[in-house]
Amino acid sequence: MLIIIDHLSYKYKDVVEKDEYALRDINLKIEDGEFVGLIGHTGSGKSTLMQHLNGLVKATEGTIYYNGEDIYESDFDMRALRGKVGLVFQYPEYQLFESTIFKDISFGPKNLGLPQLEVDLRSYQAMKDVGLSEELIDVSPFSLSGGQKRRVAIAGVLAMEPEVLILDEPTAGLDPKGREEILHLIRRLHKEKKCTIILVSHSMEDMADYVQRLVVMHEGRIVLDGNKRDVFAHEEELCMLGLAVPQVTTLTNQLRKKGYTFTKDILTVAEAKEELLLLFR
Amino acid sequence: MIRDITIGQYYPKESGVHQLDPRVKLAGTFVYMISMFCFHRFLGFLFVSLFLGWIIKKSEIPFSYIVKGLKPILFLLVFTMVINALFVDGHIIWSWGILKISVEGIRKAVFMGIRLSLLVLGASMMTFTTTPNHLTDGLEQMLKPLRKLHVPVHEISMMMSIALRFIPILLEETDKIMKAQMARGADFETGGMIKRAKNMVPLLVPLFVSAFRRANDLAMAMEARCYRGGEGRTKMKPLRYQQADYIAYGILIGYIVILMAGLRYIPNLWTIIG
């Protein structure tokens, strides 16, 4: 058992008028090695919730347990937690600052207080993991393309070797090829490094392709939580929340209404292909 | 954290003060600030705070919110007061080495403290009740005569309004970058002066990069909409004085007259007591 969010609420102190709840009574359990997708409308509290998980934002009510330890306990080592729960913000390339890529990636592990050799090893490994070639070690991160910059930024978090990796819309603003590369990278981290992954995204297709479990948020609450198949079975509810199911699911649902029968709910194009071929056999 | 700074922010409300012409408010702030330096008696403060209190009440902004604006200058306030208390000569009541506190020093310290607070509160009332755009519009109008002297009034006011517009954006950006670096284990809170300054690098570099990027984007966007400076440019909402504005000018004159007269003709309690 890794993370337990227990009756967590967060009141956002509005500068002007009354206080408003950004998160209300969130209960969530995330197990070791899970690949969780988090979807929700803009302003549904996804990012706020993510920032709670590594202690950047402190809850007004409720608490979070990490490996059974209450993270709001006064003797809890918050710095260590930030090393264990890696958070990749939206547009992370805007946080690059060092003169070389390697130095930028080492920033995280260095802050963890590791010996220099370990810092270098981890940074090098992270660079390799995200697929940056060795020639780039001494290049300034500001001279790279957008997609490359993002890899550097992700490597900067990976170099801390987190147990949990949270990514807030890691593919926003990238071209299709860049998107796929980043998502493949995330999948590989999950499979090979046994990282627990929490992925925030607006793309239902990405969710259908990559995650196992899906959590849906709306107005600061969790409204749906379960296997992605079970969640995407609620097409109507999702539409009401301003979300959607993958396009191919909409298509097959429409076909089903026309009288075609499928053996299961379809989430990806590959699945649809198989099922459709079965129909025409 | 950073959002708690309230000074210089606009507080949306529909009050009479909000709807005044920005020129009135600019002139009012100007007169208010000058009036603060026209007296050396505590009686003046009583009158000034009554006036300010009345405006605050009229503006419908919660008092606690306005007082929060003093927080950023708290250090300056305390510093001024301590310096004044320690270094003004007079009737000494306490001394330790070269440090000595005199009655006059205390009086001066309290006087300066009140003056500074009232100044900041009064000035912040203007920004609380006027949107940055309105403010620069008003300024541009008021400074227009300077164009004859080849002062680029429009350009200056455009620069001001852009600068003001960018303050909240950059604050938000700072907050975001700060969090992103904290997620990478950066520490902005502990350590000595030099260490802290060094720790700011991961915050400042991305902030500058993003400020330049935004400036570049904005310049492009303005260019794309054919912006070419103030020559021949008209306004969608030109400033026009309403009746309320004339009344406000009247009140302003009344304020300064009563303040001056009051200070001249009401006997000085301080000298009577002292």
Side-chain angles (χ1 to χ4, degrees):
Chain A
M1 206 165 300
L2 196 54
I3 300 173
I4 300 175
I5 303 176
D6 182 26
H7 293 282
L8 179 124
S9 292
Y10 178 66
K11 228 191 237 171
Y12 176 72
K13 275 242 166 61
D14 198 322
V15 190
V16 177
E17 289 299 323
K18 53 198 179 293
D19 297 349
E20 239 179 87
Y21 276 101
L23 296 174
R24 278 175 234 237
D25 198 28
I26 301 275
N27 292 293
L28 198 65
K29 205 185 271 180
I30 291 164
E31 306 275 347
D32 232 335
E34 265 191 306
F35 195 148
V36 185
L38 183 62
I39 54 175
H41 216 249
T42 313
S44 58
K46 295 169 297 188
S47 300
T48 315
L49 181 60
M50 295 303 96
Q51 288 173 24
H52 276 85
L53 293 181
N54 69 351
L56 280 177
V57 182
K58 194 178 181 304
T60 1
E61 291 154 45
T63 186
I64 297 173
Y65 298 95
Y66 186 82
N67 279 337
E69 279 179 87
D70 187 340
I71 70 164
Y72 295 137
E73 211 61 61
S74 56
D75 57 343
F76 187 82
D77 186 356
M78 207 51 113
R79 198 84 91 76
L81 178 73
R82 293 198 181 134
K84 283 179 199 154
V85 182
L87 180 53
V88 179
F89 276 80
Q90 219 171 345
Y91 296 105
E93 57 272 27
Y94 293 159
Q95 76 200 28
L96 302 176
F97 69 96
E98 271 289 8
S99 51
T100 74
I101 289 175
F102 195 74
K103 274 194 203 163
D104 206 290
I105 295 174
S106 337
F107 181 65
K110 215 187 249 167
N111 283 331
L112 292 179
L114 300 166
Q116 188 60 41
L117 184 67
E118 178 75 13
V119 170
D120 288 348
L121 279 175
R122 283 188 180 195
S123 310
Y124 185 71
Q125 183 61 40
M127 245 184 114
K128 258 173 60 185
D129 285 340
V130 298
L132 288 166
S133 76
E134 267 172 58
E135 295 140 32
L136 294 175
I137 278 190
D138 287 323
V139 172
S140 158
F142 295 103
S143 63
L144 298 177
S145 71
Q148 297 278 66
K149 273 189 202 165
R150 191 159 301 183
R151 282 162 193 251
V152 176
I154 293 176
V157 175
L158 282 183
M160 298 196 295
E161 298 191 349
E163 295 167 4
V164 184
L165 186 61
I166 305 170
L167 301 111
D168 194 350
E169 297 209 45
T171 59
L174 292 184
D175 55 32
K177 188 165 163 274
R179 293 175 69 96
E180 197 153 311
E181 281 170 359
I182 296 282
L183 287 167
H184 270 76
L185 162 71
I186 296 167
R187 175 183 277 168
R188 228 183 50 232
L189 291 171
H190 177 238
K191 284 218 176 103
E192 288 168 16
K193 307 230 156 183
K194 306 280 174 244
C195 239
T196 307
I197 308 249
I198 303 175
L199 178 66
V200 180
S201 170
H202 277 299
S203 162
M204 301 304 148
E205 275 71 24
D206 292 349
M207 288 301 181
D209 270 341
Y210 291 92
V211 308
Q212 299 160 344
R213 175 177 165 199
L214 203 52
V215 177
V216 183
M217 285 189 71
H218 182 64
E219 288 181 351
R221 292 175 205 272
I222 290 177
V223 284
L224 283 170
D225 175 9
N227 186 285
K228 67 178 167 193
R229 268 178 209 289
D230 301 333
V231 170
F232 278 138
H234 295 85
E235 190 184 356
E236 259 178 57
E237 285 91 333
L238 286 172
C239 283
M240 263 162 48
L241 300 180
L243 301 166
V245 294
Q247 284 183 2
V248 66
T249 312
T250 316
L251 177 74
T252 48
N253 283 349
Q254 300 269 336
L255 283 172
R256 196 170 278 153
K257 276 184 200 148
K258 292 245 151 92
Y260 296 92
T261 48
F262 300 103
T263 52
K264 59 175 181 184
D265 283 331
I266 287 154
L267 297 185
T268 63
V269 178
E271 285 173 11
K273 182 180 153 200
E274 270 173 41
E275 291 279 325
L276 285 172
L277 283 177
L278 274 179
L279 275 179
F280 290 108
R281 190 151 292 165
Chain B
M1 25 185 152
I2 234 153
R3 270 177 232 195
D4 293 340
I5 298 174
T6 59
I7 192 168
Q9 268 184 6
Y10 178 63
Y11 189 99
K13 265 269 150 94
E14 296 273 299
S15 79
V17 182
H18 284 73
Q19 278 155 5
L20 282 179
D21 192 289
R23 285 171 287 180
V24 181
K25 284 186 264 190
L26 275 166
T29 312
F30 201 59
V31 169
Y32 172 85
M33 290 183 121
I34 291 178
S35 76
M36 205 68 97
F37 293 92
C38 292
F39 54 84
H40 303 278
R41 294 168 48 186
F42 282 98
L43 179 71
F45 287 136
L46 182 71
F47 186 68
V48 170
S49 3
L50 279 177
F51 180 66
L52 185 65
W54 179 69
I55 290 180
I56 289 174
K57 192 160 171 287
K58 279 273 167 203
S59 73
E60 295 171 26
I61 301 172
F63 187 67
S64 60
Y65 185 79
I66 294 169
V67 173
K68 263 205 282 182
L70 279 179
K71 231 160 88 187
I73 63 146
L74 204 62
F75 174 74
L76 183 71
L77 200 64
V78 172
F79 184 75
T80 314
M81 288 178 74
V82 168
I83 291 290
N84 268 300
L86 289 180
F87 293 104
V88 171
D89 282 330
H91 179 68
I92 291 162
I93 48 172
W94 178 89
S95 69
W96 185 75
I98 55 156
L99 300 175
K100 50 192 187 302
I101 293 178
S102 63
V103 183
E104 285 79 0
I106 292 176
R107 180 184 183 274
K108 186 103 181 163
V110 174
F111 190 86
M112 284 299 187
I114 298 178
R115 179 188 272 174
L116 201 57
S117 314
L118 282 175
L119 270 178
V120 171
L121 289 179
S124 60
M125 277 314 290
M126 180 176 68
T127 50
F128 279 141
T129 60
T130 324
T131 61
N133 280 337
H134 242 88
L135 205 61
T136 43
D137 270 5
L139 211 62
E140 189 180 351
Q141 280 287 324
M142 288 179 102
L143 295 180
K144 236 176 195 167
L146 287 181
R147 272 212 306 228
K148 296 229 164 61
L149 303 171
H150 296 286
V151 178
V153 173
H154 171 80
E155 279 68 22
I156 291 174
S157 76
M158 180 56 91
M159 273 154 58
M160 256 189 66
S161 61
I162 290 173
L164 286 171
R165 178 70 192 77
F166 268 56
I167 290 173
I169 293 178
L170 288 179
L171 279 181
E172 201 173 302
E173 192 95 357
T174 312
D175 201 50
K176 228 164 72 186
I177 298 169
M178 220 165 168
K179 275 184 179 161
Q181 305 297 29
M182 274 161 77
R184 293 211 275 166
D187 179 8
F188 296 110
E189 270 127 27
T190 58
M193 277 280 262
I194 294 170
K195 188 164 170 271
R196 266 201 213 197
K198 264 191 185 159
N199 288 348
M200 290 306 261
V201 173
L203 176 63
L204 290 178
V205 172
L207 194 63
F208 271 100
V209 171
S210 108
F212 280 118
R213 195 186 59 236
R214 279 178 196 281
N216 201 25
D217 289 352
L218 182 69
M220 285 285 214
M222 286 168 79
E223 197 103 37
R225 294 197 228 167
C226 305
Y227 177 77
R228 55 188 187 89
E231 210 51 57
R233 192 176 165 83
T234 54
K235 289 224 157 34
M236 192 161 92
K237 290 177 188 158
L239 293 174
R240 270 196 207 101
Y241 282 125
Q242 308 291 324
Q243 201 189 357
D245 300 317
Y246 293 118
I247 297 173
Y249 273 129
I251 293 173
L252 206 55
I253 294 169
Y255 158 76
I256 204 83
V257 168
I258 294 174
L259 181 66
M260 290 303 135
L263 287 169
R264 177 161 299 222
Y265 295 112
I266 298 174
N268 197 339
L269 279 174
W270 183 262
T271 46
I272 295 170
I273 298 166

mmCIF file of all heavy atoms in Angstrom, chain A residues 61-94:
data_model
loop_
_atom_site.group_PDB
_atom_site.id
_atom_site.type_symbol
_atom_site.label_atom_id
_atom_site.label_comp_id
_atom_site.label_asym_id
_atom_site.label_seq_id
_atom_site.Cartn_x
_atom_site.Cartn_y
_atom_site.Cartn_z
ATOM 1 N N GLU A 61 -8.248 20.078 5.568
ATOM 2 C CA GLU A 61 -8.795 18.992 6.400
ATOM 3 C C GLU A 61 -8.310 17.666 5.840
ATOM 4 O O GLU A 61 -8.011 17.558 4.663
ATOM 5 C CB GLU A 61 -10.332 19.007 6.362
ATOM 6 C CG GLU A 61 -10.951 20.197 7.065
ATOM 7 C CD GLU A 61 -12.325 20.512 6.482
ATOM 8 O OE1 GLU A 61 -13.096 19.572 6.277
ATOM 9 O OE2 GLU A 61 -12.577 21.700 6.227
ATOM 10 N N GLY A 62 -8.307 16.664 6.695
ATOM 11 C CA GLY A 62 -7.914 15.341 6.240
ATOM 12 C C GLY A 62 -6.415 15.198 6.142
ATOM 13 O O GLY A 62 -5.675 16.141 6.422
ATOM 14 N N THR A 63 -5.976 14.001 5.765
ATOM 15 C CA THR A 63 -4.549 13.790 5.693
ATOM 16 C C THR A 63 -4.186 12.785 4.606
ATOM 17 O O THR A 63 -5.055 12.184 3.986
ATOM 18 C CB THR A 63 -3.996 13.350 7.062
ATOM 19 O OG1 THR A 63 -2.584 13.282 6.978
ATOM 20 C CG2 THR A 63 -4.547 11.989 7.451
ATOM 21 N N ILE A 64 -2.887 12.651 4.386
ATOM 22 C CA ILE A 64 -2.379 11.715 3.390
ATOM 23 C C ILE A 64 -1.370 10.807 4.075
ATOM 24 O O ILE A 64 -0.538 11.273 4.858
ATOM 25 C CB ILE A 64 -1.694 12.472 2.238
ATOM 26 C CG1 ILE A 64 -2.693 13.356 1.518
ATOM 27 C CG2 ILE A 64 -1.057 11.496 1.260
ATOM 28 C CD1 ILE A 64 -2.080 14.256 0.475
ATOM 29 N N TYR A 65 -1.477 9.515 3.822
ATOM 30 C CA TYR A 65 -0.500 8.579 4.341
ATOM 31 C C TYR A 65 0.364 8.094 3.205
ATOM 32 O O TYR A 65 -0.151 7.690 2.159
ATOM 33 C CB TYR A 65 -1.190 7.383 5.005
ATOM 34 C CG TYR A 65 -2.034 7.780 6.179
ATOM 35 C CD1 TYR A 65 -3.397 8.005 6.024
ATOM 36 C CD2 TYR A 65 -1.464 7.927 7.435
ATOM 37 C CE1 TYR A 65 -4.176 8.390 7.097
ATOM 38 C CE2 TYR A 65 -2.239 8.306 8.517
ATOM 39 C CZ TYR A 65 -3.596 8.538 8.342
ATOM 40 O OH TYR A 65 -4.353 8.916 9.401
ATOM 41 N N TYR A 66 1.674 8.186 3.395
ATOM 42 C CA TYR A 66 2.589 7.639 2.405
ATOM 43 C C TYR A 66 3.291 6.457 3.040
ATOM 44 O O TYR A 66 3.992 6.617 4.032
ATOM 45 C CB TYR A 66 3.607 8.701 1.972
ATOM 46 C CG TYR A 66 4.487 8.236 0.856
ATOM 47 C CD1 TYR A 66 4.034 8.296 -0.449
ATOM 48 C CD2 TYR A 66 5.740 7.708 1.106
ATOM 49 C CE1 TYR A 66 4.825 7.847 -1.486
ATOM 50 C CE2 TYR A 66 6.534 7.261 0.078
ATOM 51 C CZ TYR A 66 6.072 7.331 -1.220
ATOM 52 O OH TYR A 66 6.851 6.876 -2.245
ATOM 53 N N ASN A 67 3.094 5.273 2.496
ATOM 54 C CA ASN A 67 3.618 4.038 3.094
ATOM 55 C C ASN A 67 3.273 3.961 4.579
ATOM 56 O O ASN A 67 4.107 3.595 5.396
ATOM 57 C CB ASN A 67 5.129 3.954 2.918
ATOM 58 C CG ASN A 67 5.486 3.442 1.536
ATOM 59 O OD1 ASN A 67 4.673 2.764 0.888
ATOM 60 N ND2 ASN A 67 6.666 3.768 1.059
ATOM 61 N N GLY A 68 2.066 4.344 4.906
ATOM 62 C CA GLY A 68 1.614 4.220 6.280
ATOM 63 C C GLY A 68 2.005 5.366 7.186
ATOM 64 O O GLY A 68 1.619 5.401 8.344
ATOM 65 N N GLU A 69 2.772 6.342 6.670
ATOM 66 C CA GLU A 69 3.163 7.462 7.523
ATOM 67 C C GLU A 69 2.352 8.693 7.178
ATOM 68 O O GLU A 69 2.203 9.026 6.001
ATOM 69 C CB GLU A 69 4.649 7.779 7.326
ATOM 70 C CG GLU A 69 5.576 6.890 8.088
ATOM 71 C CD GLU A 69 7.016 7.274 7.793
ATOM 72 O OE1 GLU A 69 7.536 8.160 8.490
ATOM 73 O OE2 GLU A 69 7.597 6.695 6.862
ATOM 74 N N ASP A 70 1.872 9.364 8.192
ATOM 75 C CA ASP A 70 1.115 10.589 7.995
ATOM 76 C C ASP A 70 2.082 11.700 7.553
ATOM 77 O O ASP A 70 3.002 12.049 8.285
ATOM 78 C CB ASP A 70 0.449 10.976 9.328
ATOM 79 C CG ASP A 70 -0.484 12.147 9.154
ATOM 80 O OD1 ASP A 70 -0.340 12.884 8.157
ATOM 81 O OD2 ASP A 70 -1.357 12.340 10.020
ATOM 82 N N ILE A 71 1.870 12.255 6.358
ATOM 83 C CA ILE A 71 2.854 13.231 5.870
ATOM 84 C C ILE A 71 2.729 14.589 6.547
ATOM 85 O O ILE A 71 3.573 15.450 6.397
ATOM 86 C CB ILE A 71 2.798 13.412 4.326
ATOM 87 C CG1 ILE A 71 1.518 14.123 3.893
ATOM 88 C CG2 ILE A 71 2.953 12.098 3.607
ATOM 89 C CD1 ILE A 71 1.629 14.663 2.463
ATOM 90 N N TYR A 72 1.655 14.798 7.286
ATOM 91 C CA TYR A 72 1.510 16.078 7.988
ATOM 92 C C TYR A 72 2.029 16.005 9.416
ATOM 93 O O TYR A 72 1.973 16.969 10.157
ATOM 94 C CB TYR A 72 0.055 16.540 7.972
ATOM 95 C CG TYR A 72 -0.429 16.841 6.566
ATOM 96 C CD1 TYR A 72 -1.670 16.434 6.132
ATOM 97 C CD2 TYR A 72 0.383 17.546 5.687
ATOM 98 C CE1 TYR A 72 -2.107 16.709 4.840
ATOM 99 C CE2 TYR A 72 -0.033 17.811 4.402
ATOM 100 C CZ TYR A 72 -1.279 17.399 3.981
ATOM 101 O OH TYR A 72 -1.686 17.681 2.706
ATOM 102 N N GLU A 73 2.527 14.823 9.793
ATOM 103 C CA GLU A 73 3.145 14.679 11.105
ATOM 104 C C GLU A 73 4.367 15.588 11.145
ATOM 105 O O GLU A 73 5.095 15.715 10.149
ATOM 106 C CB GLU A 73 3.559 13.213 11.274
ATOM 107 C CG GLU A 73 3.534 12.684 12.688
ATOM 108 C CD GLU A 73 2.172 12.739 13.323
ATOM 109 O OE1 GLU A 73 1.231 12.102 12.810
ATOM 110 O OE2 GLU A 73 2.063 13.429 14.342
ATOM 111 N N SER A 74 4.614 16.231 12.309
ATOM 112 C CA SER A 74 5.669 17.256 12.328
ATOM 113 C C SER A 74 7.066 16.673 12.092
ATOM 114 O O SER A 74 7.946 17.353 11.587
ATOM 115 C CB SER A 74 5.630 18.004 13.668
ATOM 116 O OG SER A 74 5.747 17.073 14.717
ATOM 117 N N ASP A 75 7.265 15.390 12.429
ATOM 118 C CA ASP A 75 8.613 14.848 12.240
ATOM 119 C C ASP A 75 8.760 14.146 10.896
ATOM 120 O O ASP A 75 9.750 13.474 10.647
ATOM 121 C CB ASP A 75 8.969 13.885 13.395
ATOM 122 C CG ASP A 75 7.965 12.753 13.512
ATOM 123 O OD1 ASP A 75 6.865 12.887 12.942
ATOM 124 O OD2 ASP A 75 8.277 11.737 14.167
ATOM 125 N N PHE A 76 7.775 14.323 10.020
ATOM 126 C CA PHE A 76 7.863 13.677 8.709
ATOM 127 C C PHE A 76 8.812 14.472 7.816
ATOM 128 O O PHE A 76 8.763 15.700 7.763
ATOM 129 C CB PHE A 76 6.470 13.607 8.072
ATOM 130 C CG PHE A 76 6.453 12.822 6.799
ATOM 131 C CD1 PHE A 76 6.371 11.445 6.834
ATOM 132 C CD2 PHE A 76 6.535 13.455 5.563
ATOM 133 C CE1 PHE A 76 6.370 10.706 5.663
ATOM 134 C CE2 PHE A 76 6.533 12.723 4.391
ATOM 135 C CZ PHE A 76 6.454 11.347 4.440
ATOM 136 N N ASP A 77 9.675 13.755 7.120
ATOM 137 C CA ASP A 77 10.682 14.428 6.286
ATOM 138 C C ASP A 77 10.100 14.775 4.913
ATOM 139 O O ASP A 77 10.061 13.950 4.014
ATOM 140 C CB ASP A 77 11.909 13.519 6.131
ATOM 141 C CG ASP A 77 13.035 14.231 5.405
ATOM 142 O OD1 ASP A 77 12.828 15.388 4.972
ATOM 143 O OD2 ASP A 77 14.120 13.645 5.288
ATOM 144 N N MET A 78 9.662 16.013 4.791
ATOM 145 C CA MET A 78 8.985 16.443 3.574
ATOM 146 C C MET A 78 9.930 16.436 2.368
ATOM 147 O O MET A 78 9.531 16.130 1.261
ATOM 148 C CB MET A 78 8.438 17.847 3.808
ATOM 149 C CG MET A 78 7.218 18.196 2.992
ATOM 150 S SD MET A 78 5.892 17.001 3.087
ATOM 151 C CE MET A 78 4.637 17.919 3.926
ATOM 152 N N ARG A 79 11.196 16.765 2.622
ATOM 153 C CA ARG A 79 12.175 16.816 1.533
ATOM 154 C C ARG A 79 12.357 15.422 0.928
ATOM 155 O O ARG A 79 12.397 15.253 -0.292
ATOM 156 C CB ARG A 79 13.499 17.348 2.080
ATOM 157 C CG ARG A 79 14.451 17.851 1.040
ATOM 158 C CD ARG A 79 14.168 19.282 0.635
ATOM 159 N NE ARG A 79 14.918 20.208 1.449
ATOM 160 C CZ ARG A 79 16.239 20.443 1.300
ATOM 161 N NH1 ARG A 79 16.918 19.830 0.356
ATOM 162 N NH2 ARG A 79 16.853 21.290 2.069
ATOM 163 N N ALA A 80 12.435 14.419 1.814
ATOM 164 C CA ALA A 80 12.587 13.049 1.335
ATOM 165 C C ALA A 80 11.367 12.636 0.523
ATOM 166 O O ALA A 80 11.470 11.950 -0.491
ATOM 167 C CB ALA A 80 12.791 12.112 2.516
ATOM 168 N N LEU A 81 10.197 13.089 0.964
ATOM 169 C CA LEU A 81 8.961 12.747 0.253
ATOM 170 C C LEU A 81 9.011 13.286 -1.171
ATOM 171 O O LEU A 81 8.605 12.621 -2.121
ATOM 172 C CB LEU A 81 7.755 13.335 0.983
ATOM 173 C CG LEU A 81 6.411 13.086 0.292
ATOM 174 C CD1 LEU A 81 5.990 11.644 0.438
ATOM 175 C CD2 LEU A 81 5.333 14.007 0.809
ATOM 176 N N ARG A 82 9.547 14.509 -1.307
ATOM 177 C CA ARG A 82 9.597 15.098 -2.647
ATOM 178 C C ARG A 82 10.528 14.329 -3.557
ATOM 179 O O ARG A 82 10.388 14.367 -4.772
ATOM 180 C CB ARG A 82 10.005 16.564 -2.553
ATOM 181 C CG ARG A 82 8.916 17.330 -1.860
ATOM 182 C CD ARG A 82 8.960 18.804 -2.046
ATOM 183 N NE ARG A 82 7.850 19.374 -1.299
ATOM 184 C CZ ARG A 82 7.936 20.415 -0.513
ATOM 185 N NH1 ARG A 82 9.072 21.046 -0.381
ATOM 186 N NH2 ARG A 82 6.872 20.851 0.121
ATOM 187 N N GLY A 83 11.502 13.631 -2.963
ATOM 188 C CA GLY A 83 12.353 12.765 -3.760
ATOM 189 C C GLY A 83 11.636 11.489 -4.159
ATOM 190 O O GLY A 83 11.905 10.919 -5.208
ATOM 191 N N LYS A 84 10.720 11.049 -3.295
ATOM 192 C CA LYS A 84 10.044 9.778 -3.565
ATOM 193 C C LYS A 84 8.831 9.954 -4.454
ATOM 194 O O LYS A 84 8.456 9.055 -5.193
ATOM 195 C CB LYS A 84 9.610 9.139 -2.241
ATOM 196 C CG LYS A 84 10.760 8.500 -1.507
ATOM 197 C CD LYS A 84 10.262 7.907 -0.216
ATOM 198 C CE LYS A 84 11.397 7.669 0.765
ATOM 199 N NZ LYS A 84 10.893 7.708 2.131
ATOM 200 N N VAL A 85 8.172 11.106 -4.333
ATOM 201 C CA VAL A 85 7.025 11.378 -5.187
ATOM 202 C C VAL A 85 7.444 12.464 -6.171
ATOM 203 O O VAL A 85 7.473 13.632 -5.848
ATOM 204 C CB VAL A 85 5.804 11.848 -4.364
ATOM 205 C CG1 VAL A 85 4.616 12.072 -5.278
ATOM 206 C CG2 VAL A 85 5.471 10.831 -3.302
ATOM 207 N N GLY A 86 7.799 12.036 -7.365
ATOM 208 C CA GLY A 86 8.267 12.995 -8.370
ATOM 209 C C GLY A 86 7.084 13.627 -9.074
ATOM 210 O O GLY A 86 6.171 12.939 -9.514
ATOM 211 N N LEU A 87 7.087 14.948 -9.129
ATOM 212 C CA LEU A 87 5.963 15.644 -9.752
ATOM 213 C C LEU A 87 6.467 16.411 -10.972
ATOM 214 O O LEU A 87 7.331 17.267 -10.864
ATOM 215 C CB LEU A 87 5.345 16.595 -8.724
ATOM 216 C CG LEU A 87 4.152 17.439 -9.138
ATOM 217 C CD1 LEU A 87 3.052 16.584 -9.715
ATOM 218 C CD2 LEU A 87 3.620 18.204 -7.939
ATOM 219 N N VAL A 88 5.936 16.064 -12.123
ATOM 220 C CA VAL A 88 6.296 16.785 -13.342
ATOM 221 C C VAL A 88 5.142 17.724 -13.668
ATOM 222 O O VAL A 88 4.043 17.289 -13.982
ATOM 223 C CB VAL A 88 6.528 15.825 -14.526
ATOM 224 C CG1 VAL A 88 6.867 16.600 -15.781
ATOM 225 C CG2 VAL A 88 7.630 14.839 -14.196
ATOM 226 N N PHE A 89 5.408 19.012 -13.575
ATOM 227 C CA PHE A 89 4.349 19.996 -13.791
ATOM 228 C C PHE A 89 3.997 20.122 -15.267
ATOM 229 O O PHE A 89 4.721 19.654 -16.143
ATOM 230 C CB PHE A 89 4.801 21.358 -13.270
ATOM 231 C CG PHE A 89 4.574 21.532 -11.816
ATOM 232 C CD1 PHE A 89 5.455 20.994 -10.898
ATOM 233 C CD2 PHE A 89 3.477 22.232 -11.357
ATOM 234 C CE1 PHE A 89 5.247 21.153 -9.552
ATOM 235 C CE2 PHE A 89 3.267 22.395 -10.008
ATOM 236 C CZ PHE A 89 4.153 21.850 -9.103
ATOM 237 N N GLN A 90 2.905 20.811 -15.501
ATOM 238 C CA GLN A 90 2.537 21.131 -16.867
ATOM 239 C C GLN A 90 3.608 22.046 -17.467
ATOM 240 O O GLN A 90 4.126 22.911 -16.785
ATOM 241 C CB GLN A 90 1.202 21.871 -16.833
ATOM 242 C CG GLN A 90 0.291 21.483 -17.941
ATOM 243 C CD GLN A 90 -1.085 22.079 -17.740
ATOM 244 O OE1 GLN A 90 -1.406 22.546 -16.651
ATOM 245 N NE2 GLN A 90 -1.884 22.062 -18.771
ATOM 246 N N TYR A 91 3.888 21.875 -18.716
ATOM 247 C CA TYR A 91 4.948 22.625 -19.389
ATOM 248 C C TYR A 91 6.214 22.678 -18.537
ATOM 249 O O TYR A 91 6.677 23.759 -18.169
ATOM 250 C CB TYR A 91 4.494 24.040 -19.723
ATOM 251 C CG TYR A 91 3.361 24.068 -20.696
ATOM 252 C CD1 TYR A 91 2.078 24.358 -20.292
ATOM 253 C CD2 TYR A 91 3.584 23.772 -22.037
ATOM 254 C CE1 TYR A 91 1.012 24.346 -21.196
ATOM 255 C CE2 TYR A 91 2.531 23.764 -22.935
ATOM 256 C CZ TYR A 91 1.269 24.050 -22.515
ATOM 257 O OH TYR A 91 0.244 24.034 -23.401
ATOM 258 N N PRO A 92 6.759 21.523 -18.188
ATOM 259 C CA PRO A 92 7.905 21.522 -17.253
ATOM 260 C C PRO A 92 9.140 22.177 -17.844
ATOM 261 O O PRO A 92 10.041 22.550 -17.115
ATOM 262 C CB PRO A 92 8.135 20.030 -17.006
ATOM 263 C CG PRO A 92 7.616 19.348 -18.219
ATOM 264 C CD PRO A 92 6.454 20.181 -18.688
ATOM 265 N N GLU A 93 9.169 22.346 -19.176
ATOM 266 C CA GLU A 93 10.377 22.937 -19.774
ATOM 267 C C GLU A 93 10.572 24.382 -19.315
ATOM 268 O O GLU A 93 11.661 24.914 -19.400
ATOM 269 C CB GLU A 93 10.340 22.861 -21.302
ATOM 270 C CG GLU A 93 9.141 23.515 -21.963
ATOM 271 C CD GLU A 93 7.955 22.565 -22.103
ATOM 272 O OE1 GLU A 93 7.849 21.633 -21.287
ATOM 273 O OE2 GLU A 93 7.140 22.752 -23.017
ATOM 274 N N TYR A 94 9.530 25.006 -18.778
ATOM 275 C CA TYR A 94 9.680 26.379 -18.309
ATOM 276 C C TYR A 94 10.443 26.482 -17.000
ATOM 277 O O TYR A 94 10.683 27.569 -16.504
ATOM 278 C CB TYR A 94 8.304 27.046 -18.147
ATOM 279 C CG TYR A 94 7.593 27.242 -19.456
ATOM 280 C CD1 TYR A 94 6.220 27.420 -19.512
ATOM 281 C CD2 TYR A 94 8.292 27.254 -20.654
ATOM 282 C CE1 TYR A 94 5.558 27.578 -20.724
ATOM 283 C CE2 TYR A 94 7.645 27.408 -21.854
ATOM 284 C CZ TYR A 94 6.281 27.575 -21.887
ATOM 285 O OH TYR A 94 5.654 27.734 -23.080
#
